[in-house]
Amino acid sequence: MVRFISRIFSPVTNSEQETRRHILLWILIRVMLFTLLITITTYLREKGHPVILPPASVTSLFLLGIYGFSITSALLLRKAGWPARHFAISQLFCDTVFYALVVYSTGCSQSNFTALLVLPVIAGGLLLYRIGALFLAATATLLYGGLLALEFFDRVPGYFLASAYRPPATILTGINLFAIYGLIFFLAALLSGQLARRLSATEEKLSRTSLEYDRLSILYKQIFDDISTGIITTDQNDFVTSYNQAAERITGYPREKVLGQPFNRCFPAIRLLEKQGRSVCDFLKNEGTPIRIGYSFSYLNMPGQERQEDRQGKWKVITLQDISQIERMERQMREAEKMAAIGELSASIAHDFRNPLAAISGSAQILAMEHNPLETLDATTFKTLVAIISRESNRMAKTITDFLQFARPAPIQPEWFDFNRVVDEVIAHLSAGTKTAAVTEIRKEIAEHLDCWADRQQMQTILGHLLENASSAMGASPGSIVIAAHDNDRTGDGQGSLWVEIRDQGPGIPPELRDKVFTPFFSSRTDGTGLGLSIVRQIVENHCGTVEIDSATPQGCIVRLRFPLPQGVTP
């Protein structure tokens, strides 16, 4: 019954069908309420309580009339084509008359059921808004005033005399009751009408909000399912809570096998460390196909998870992408760029070979013109011609060597070695020639027994190019070249690095040219091929390291190299 009452007093929309539903519920409430009231009153009278009630025959006839009227009204409401609002006001008007009859037959001004007259007024406010409520309030007030008038003129049923009924002493008593109940009826009409208006407006806004929410939910689900990026969310315990179609397509694992399972158990190759950012890994799909996956994650600020210090207990969203094709395209692009550079290098070599070949050819022709060059040419001329042939041959050999190092770099074969010893070997090799003749010294700032993990031969190549460039940059100016190296402290994940710096006291490199010096064939030296720094960067990147150029103070240049040290490998 409580449920029916709550439904009957809920606000209606402008729908005709909704109004008819409320009227049917109100008819059912009427039948139940009158039956309950008459049954309880009859029971109390049988128990000897001073209750004013008509004879049983009259009461039964009245109750049957209520039943008949309610059944007829329900049938008419379903079959007749009357407007629902007109039918509602007629029903509530009849209810007001029925309640007035109950009040008249149970003691008029002394009736215990006078407050029932407010029910049709409240129902009218909820079903018909303020106008209907005010009409029913006026009807209830007039009917109650008529009952008080009948009572004042002693027009009451005869069975009142056999009960505890006492007529009002003065007319003021009736006027007072009329004023009080009339005010109550109109206040109930105003309040119920206002409440119905607000409830109707709230329901309309709620309906619009619910519709927008449904649309947003559908849009979110559509985006979540159709986006090409795999999306996985986990709760505070790292259990998978959502898993879109792209993630299912990338990983090959069906949704029913992933949802509700621990993330680390389903995808052990994807490591979600504390540090957020983009990472890559080798991933084996469900059917066994190996792919490369790029992934990242971020924390979700879910309700109840606002604690910033407990980052391990937070919800996460993980995004996945299959980057196998992208990496293949990048490799192809790098190969294409490399082939273009090799083609340019080939043209440069062909151009650079002309002068050495011309010098060698001229020297050889002079020697060939003499029948016995050792006897006919003086020693100075003979040595000069041989020196030209040797110098130009070495120049051509160095160009070929640089070309091969750039065009076909050898695979790295890393090992642990003493960095100091390699530096000493490179310095000794350079000092044996004329490359460092103008340099007063090459100083080392390297700790004893500093171990390096790299390809030993390629490290010699790197140091040779950099020291040769530093010596050439200083020219005939006195000064020194400093080569420094140190390894940094290992981080929490066991990763460390070796840092190498080569500093000179030359004029330095202008900031606008620092990015160009790594371009193949870019050189400010007349005897250079422009491949030295390109080879250096290529070797360093093959070691997964970095190289950068900075300016020294007050003058000079600093070339800074970083070589990552392996995790879990000790010298």
Side-chain angles (χ1 to χ4, degrees):
M1 182 176 180
V2 175
R3 182 179 177 183
F4 287 146
I5 293 176
S6 63
R7 293 185 65 183
I8 196 61
F9 286 110
S10 62
V12 298
T13 61
N14 293 329
S15 171
E16 186 81 4
Q17 184 178 1
E18 187 73 11
T19 305
R20 290 178 180 273
R21 181 181 67 85
H22 280 192
I23 295 173
L24 287 173
L25 290 175
W26 176 255
I27 293 174
L28 179 60
I29 291 294
R30 173 203 301 158
V31 172
M32 296 176 62
L33 183 59
F34 274 104
T35 303
L36 184 63
L37 290 176
I38 293 176
T39 302
I40 293 175
T41 306
T42 304
Y43 175 78
L44 293 176
R45 186 180 62 177
E46 294 295 332
K47 291 296 182 179
H49 292 276
V51 177
I52 303 176
L53 192 66
S57 58
V58 177
T59 303
S60 301
L61 184 62
F62 177 77
L63 191 57
L64 290 175
I66 295 294
Y67 290 163
F69 177 77
S70 299
I71 294 173
T72 304
S73 300
L75 294 176
L76 290 176
L77 179 63
R78 286 185 173 275
K79 295 182 179 181
W82 296 351
R85 294 178 62 85
H86 297 169
F87 197 86
I89 198 166
S90 64
Q91 288 293 309
L92 294 175
F93 176 80
C94 293
D95 283 331
T96 306
V97 174
F98 292 150
Y99 286 123
L101 290 176
V102 171
V103 173
Y104 176 74
S105 61
T106 56
C108 293
S109 62
Q110 299 179 28
S111 174
N112 296 324
F113 303 109
T114 306
L116 293 177
L117 287 169
V118 79
L119 291 181
V121 177
I122 296 175
L126 295 175
L127 290 173
L128 306 171
Y129 301 120
R130 183 176 298 178
I131 298 299
L134 291 175
F135 170 75
L136 293 170
T139 302
T141 303
L142 292 176
L143 289 175
Y144 188 66
L147 297 180
L148 293 177
L150 290 175
E151 184 182 29
F152 180 75
F153 290 109
D154 200 19
R155 296 292 188 269
V156 295
Y159 58 86
F160 280 14
L161 302 178
S163 63
Y165 170 75
R166 296 290 182 271
T170 62
I171 192 174
L172 294 177
T173 303
I175 294 175
N176 183 45
L177 291 173
F178 176 77
I180 292 174
Y181 279 103
L183 181 61
I184 291 174
F185 297 152
F186 278 96
L187 286 177
L190 294 175
L191 292 177
S192 61
Q194 185 67 18
L195 177 62
R197 287 287 185 184
R198 291 189 178 183
L199 289 177
S200 178
T202 303
E203 186 181 53
E204 183 179 356
K205 292 180 180 179
L206 182 60
S207 178
R208 289 200 301 267
T209 303
S210 178
L211 180 61
E212 293 297 328
Y213 176 79
D214 291 341
R215 290 177 179 174
L216 184 62
S217 178
I218 294 173
L219 178 62
Y220 162 76
K221 187 178 183 304
Q222 196 69 26
I223 294 175
F224 185 77
D225 288 337
D226 294 346
I227 193 171
S228 60
T229 300
I231 301 176
I232 305 173
T233 60
T234 62
D235 59 11
Q236 66 273 18
N237 297 319
D238 282 338
F239 283 83
V240 178
T241 57
S242 62
Y243 184 77
N244 70 345
Q245 295 179 2
E248 185 176 356
R249 183 178 63 256
I250 292 171
T251 63
Y253 288 91
R255 183 175 303 181
E256 58 271 11
K257 291 187 178 180
V258 175
L259 290 178
Q261 299 298 319
F263 181 84
N264 294 332
R265 184 188 301 171
C266 297
F267 311 108
I270 302 177
R271 300 178 60 190
L272 303 181
L273 302 177
E274 181 67 19
K275 183 179 179 181
Q276 304 181 55
R278 194 71 181 173
S279 303
V280 296
C281 70
D282 295 319
F283 187 85
L284 195 63
K285 297 182 69 173
N286 189 30
E287 63 273 15
T289 305
I291 60 172
R292 290 277 289 176
I293 281 185
Y295 65 93
S296 64
F297 81 97
S298 60
Y299 292 102
L300 296 176
N301 295 322
M302 300 295 290
Q305 297 291 329
E306 293 83 3
R307 296 183 302 169
Q308 296 295 330
E309 64 276 6
D310 188 14
R311 300 185 68 85
Q312 293 295 338
K314 279 193 150 188
W315 292 57
K316 301 181 187 71
V317 55
I318 303 100
T319 58
L320 308 174
Q321 281 189 330
D322 184 356
I323 60 174
S324 303
Q325 182 65 23
I326 297 176
E327 289 190 345
R328 284 194 294 269
M329 294 175 62
E330 289 177 350
R331 286 195 297 269
Q332 293 174 359
M333 186 176 296
R334 285 194 297 267
E335 290 296 329
E337 293 175 353
K338 188 173 182 179
M339 294 303 297
I342 291 174
E344 187 176 350
L345 178 58
S346 301
S348 177
I349 290 175
H351 180 270
D352 289 344
F353 273 19
R354 290 179 180 177
N355 293 332
L357 286 175
I360 294 173
S361 176
S363 300
Q365 288 178 5
I366 293 175
L367 292 174
M369 290 173 60
E370 303 297 332
H371 180 69
N372 190 355
L374 294 177
E375 295 179 357
T376 57
L377 294 177
D378 59 277
T380 303
T381 303
F382 182 80
K383 290 181 179 180
T384 301
L385 293 175
V386 173
I388 290 174
I389 294 174
S390 177
R391 184 185 68 247
E392 297 302 326
S393 298
N394 291 335
R395 179 180 175 185
M396 293 173 65
K398 183 179 185 303
T399 302
I400 292 296
T401 301
D402 289 346
F403 171 77
L404 292 176
Q405 287 181 342
F406 178 76
R408 191 176 58 190
I412 63 173
Q413 298 179 356
E415 60 178 328
W416 286 106
F417 57 85
D418 188 350
F419 189 72
N420 272 288
R421 182 175 298 179
V422 172
V423 173
D424 292 338
E425 293 174 358
V426 174
I427 294 175
H429 176 73
L430 293 178
S431 300
T434 59
K435 300 297 183 180
T436 59
V439 180
T440 56
E441 63 174 336
I442 297 179
R443 295 189 294 107
K444 297 192 305 177
E445 296 180 359
I446 305 173
E448 293 291 337
H449 307 295
L450 180 63
D451 295 312
C452 177
W453 174 264
D455 189 299
R456 183 187 183 97
Q457 184 176 358
Q458 294 188 17
M459 180 63 75
Q460 291 178 342
T461 302
I462 293 174
L463 296 176
H465 281 296
L466 294 179
L467 290 176
E468 182 181 338
N469 286 348
S471 176
S472 176
M474 294 181 62
S477 302
S480 63
I481 298 175
V482 178
I483 176 169
H486 68 277
D487 57 346
N488 66 337
D489 295 334
R490 292 181 180 270
T491 58
D493 56 358
Q495 181 71 38
S497 299
L498 175 70
W499 293 88
V500 181
E501 289 186 357
I502 296 179
R503 303 189 291 266
D504 63 53
Q505 296 178 347
I509 301 176
E512 62 273 11
L513 297 181
R514 289 177 188 170
D515 292 334
K516 295 182 179 180
V517 296
F518 295 106
T519 304
F521 320 116
F522 180 86
S523 177
S524 59
R525 296 164 50 186
T526 57
D527 60 341
T529 61
L531 289 174
L533 289 178
S534 299
I535 293 173
V536 168
R537 184 174 67 173
Q538 181 175 257
I539 295 176
V540 172
E541 290 180 350
N542 288 341
H543 283 76
C544 299
T546 58
V547 56
E548 59 182 15
I549 295 178
D550 201 355
S551 60
T553 303
Q555 65 178 6
C557 176
I558 300 176
V559 180
R560 188 175 294 111
L561 310 174
R562 184 188 69 84
F563 293 91
L565 299 177
Q567 299 183 14
V569 179
T570 56

